Amino acid sequence: MSKVDAEAVVPTSVERDAMHALYRQGGRESQMAPHIVYTEASCPHDDYDQPMQAIDFRMEDHGRAVHDALVWAWWDDTGFAGRCPRCGGWIHFTIRGKRAISPDEAAGFPQLPADWFDRATIL
Ligand SMILES: [Zn+2]
């Protein structure tokens, strides 16, 4: 493959941002429930102990108010905070990734219900 061909198939960051924006817009318009497959396979706190690559948050199981607030935050790119079922560490979940955060940081985000992982499907 020539260099030109290789560049043609790898999206630039501008193109990636445009795809991300399109994806968010579609999700927000349909109020799609957040499901996500992350590139990182586990909890960001505890080094591969807690599998956490694919998550179906099952917002609809927590009532309308919780569902609406969290679905909005998700598609708004704010994301939300929730605790790891194994280590209890706070995690910031967004469309683009998940990261370990402090309890203070978690207080600044919309939060998943304390029992979110009992309803969610986490693989
Ligand atoms: Zn953990």
Side-chain angles (χ1 to χ4, degrees):
M1 190 188 277
S2 75
K3 185 167 184 290
V4 173
D5 286 338
E7 283 173 356
V9 296
V10 178
T12 65
S13 66
V14 171
E15 286 168 333
R16 271 199 304 275
D17 284 349
M19 284 190 273
H20 177 74
L22 188 68
Y23 174 68
R24 282 207 301 126
Q25 185 186 355
R28 177 152 52 185
E29 282 170 3
S30 61
Q31 289 288 288
M32 210 156 53
H35 307 75
I36 189 81
V37 178
Y38 288 118
T39 49
E40 315 85 40
S42 59
C43 166
H45 287 281
D46 49 18
D47 294 336
Y48 313 117
D49 276 356
Q50 172 62 45
M52 200 177 284
Q53 183 150 30
I55 307 170
D56 175 354
F57 289 100
R58 302 288 296 271
M59 304 296 182
E60 62 277 19
D61 287 2
H62 295 286
R64 192 80 216 171
V66 169
H67 172 277
D68 288 358
L70 294 181
V71 168
W72 181 262
W74 181 257
W75 294 113
D76 184 45
D77 248 359
T78 304
F80 40 73
R83 303 184 78 149
C84 169
R86 182 186 296 259
C87 70
W90 283 99
I91 302 165
H92 182 210
F93 297 99
T94 70
I95 296 170
R96 291 176 189 256
K98 62 184 184 313
R99 64 188 180 100
I101 56 173
S102 69
D104 281 352
E105 285 180 281
F109 290 110
Q111 293 186 3
L112 288 161
D115 64 345
W116 73 274
F117 41 79
D118 290 340
R119 316 268 184 124
T121 302
I122 306 172
L123 301 172

